[in-house]
Amino acid sequence: MYARDLMKTVAGAALLLAMLAPRAQATPQGQRYDAALGEYGAAAEAESAYPQDPADSLYRAARTALNREQYRNAAELFVQVYQQYPRSSYAPQAMYYQAFALYRSGRDGDLERAQEALSELQERYPDEEIARRDAESLIARVNGELARRGDAEAGEEVARRATGIASGGQQGACEDEIRIAALNALLQMNSEQALPILERVLANRSEDPCAVEMRRKAVFLLSQHVDESNVEILLELVRNDPDREVRLQAVFWLSQVEGERTVDALEEILLNSPDRELQEKAIFALSQSGSARAGAVLRDFAMKADADPDLRSNAVFWIGQHEGAENASFLREIYASTDEQAIKEKVIFSLAQSGSAESSRWLLEVAGNADEPMAMRKKALFWAGQSERLSIEQLGELYEGMPERELKEQIIFGLSQRHERAAVDWLLNIARNETDTELRRKAIFWLSQSEDPRVAEFLLELIEGGS
């Protein structure tokens, strides 16, 4: 459960940064875009956008205070910039960053002052990009924070702006991040009021770039409040949304909802979707579910002889990531029932990772079975050799009873990877007594990688003319 929650938290944070950040635009000189804040920050304390501007030093001092999180001090310095130098090129930015500093300060009075500063910015400089675009997004954030603190007027404004997302008509330039900020605030304040608006956004299947971008962001916002009652919304997106990214996001967030309805939805995607990537994500999602039925769905799919072998192989891999006697027994069963090499390889790997004594014995059985393909026998032998459950004596006995040179070479390699004294004993025995010259050479080569002092003595014997 912890891993599942952590995955959702990390994925959610990454998507939030990607989805709520404004679209690419020209970066004001001397500034850098801070994706974590969705705002512009100073590139460096010493840089100047307008070095000849009389307000330059004061503006840079204000930005330095902001970067150091001295928000109230920064706000006062930004006020001085536009009050003392109203014609300065820095004046619009100073008004914006005054509001931003007050917003970050976070007191009720500071938030109200931030509203006033942003309103004044839009009145004084209506044609500036920072007033038309960035200020609108920040207003939505400020209103959302005030609404959460019980400001009814701010709450009404948040709802009005969020509702505008689903109203008809596009606005030329794609300014959706402004309305998304309002919608996000509404979700935090009143999810029941926001969810119908989200559904209206998601129902707009236009392939217009702005509409597509809105749906992508809306899927993420929906995911933060989704429960079993909303599974049908995500499943409908998987089935019918024309945008591939929306469909993929919907499958991922669907996997985060516990319940049998989710398992039903993921099973439908796995069995019926024509999109291979969606099917792969459904397999992964089912593997992460704690539901016993989800495991059964994966096992049934892995056994479907008419299903895509690579997808079946993928299912086998994820089944193998969950230890337990039932899964181990199933993996051995599917190995015996299939001729698909990729599936057999995944079974061998998965059982080898379990590290159980029973799995190690099974790997040795595969390696010693002359009816098995040589490639599978070698893989089984390789992974068996990596298991600490398999004793050096067992590996040595297997070497003596194995007629095929390829498999003997694999055992020599397996012995070389073990650091016990007994492994060196067996390699020395092979190097001295093996009648196959090539196998002796391989044993000598791997012995040369050992730091055991007996190896140096043996090599010296060979150099001085030993047989």
Side-chain angles (χ1 to χ4, degrees), residues 306-318:
D306 59 343
D308 184 306
D310 289 337
L311 288 174
R312 292 176 64 201
S313 174
N314 195 359
V316 167
F317 172 81
W318 287 112

Side-chain angles (χ1 to χ4, degrees), residues 40-145:
Y40 286 104
E45 294 177 8
E47 291 182 6
S48 297
Y50 310 104
Q52 304 305 316
D53 192 299
D56 179 69
S57 59
L58 181 57
Y59 179 79
R60 286 191 291 117
R63 291 307 298 266
T64 297
L66 181 62
N67 286 352
R68 293 176 179 175
E69 301 182 359
Q70 299 167 355
Y71 297 123
R72 294 177 67 80
N73 182 39
E76 293 304 320
L77 290 172
F78 284 123
V79 170
Q80 292 180 38
V81 170
Y82 66 80
Q83 285 186 347
Q84 294 181 25
Y85 307 99
R87 296 184 179 180
S88 167
S89 298
Y90 288 115
Q93 295 174 29
M95 281 189 173
Y96 174 83
Y97 284 112
Q98 175 206 356
F100 178 70
L102 291 167
Y103 166 68
R104 293 304 299 269
S105 176
R107 302 180 187 180
D108 288 351
D110 289 341
L111 292 171
E112 292 168 1
R113 289 174 59 203
Q115 284 181 316
E116 295 170 2
L118 291 167
S119 177
E120 185 177 357
L121 168 62
Q122 292 180 321
E123 289 177 7
R124 286 198 191 184
Y125 306 99
D127 296 328
E128 291 284 342
E129 179 76 1
I130 202 168
R132 290 187 292 106
R133 182 185 181 79
D134 299 295
E136 281 292 321
S137 181
L138 186 53
I139 287 171
R141 297 186 192 189
V142 172
N143 283 333
E145 185 59 35

Side-chain angles (χ1 to χ4, degrees), residues 215-234:
R215 292 203 306 279
R216 292 176 181 177
K217 293 173 180 177
V219 171
F220 170 75
L221 293 176
L222 177 66
S223 75
Q224 304 309 291
H225 297 267
V226 75
D227 56 29
E228 194 163 2
S229 65
N230 293 321
V231 165
E232 201 60 43
I233 299 174
L234 291 172

Side-chain angles (χ1 to χ4, degrees), residues 258-310:
E258 297 182 359
E260 291 308 305
R261 181 67 190 95
T262 300
V263 176
D264 290 341
L266 292 171
E267 181 180 23
E268 179 181 333
I269 295 166
L270 175 59
L271 297 179
N272 300 322
S273 175
D275 188 320
R276 180 189 180 84
E277 190 171 355
L278 284 178
Q279 290 178 294
E280 290 176 348
K281 288 189 179 296
I283 289 172
F284 173 76
L286 287 165
S287 76
Q288 301 306 298
S289 171
S291 164
R293 186 166 164 275
V297 169
L298 277 183
R299 289 192 291 272
D300 288 345
F301 181 79
M303 291 292 286
K304 281 178 65 68
D306 59 343
D308 184 306
D310 289 337

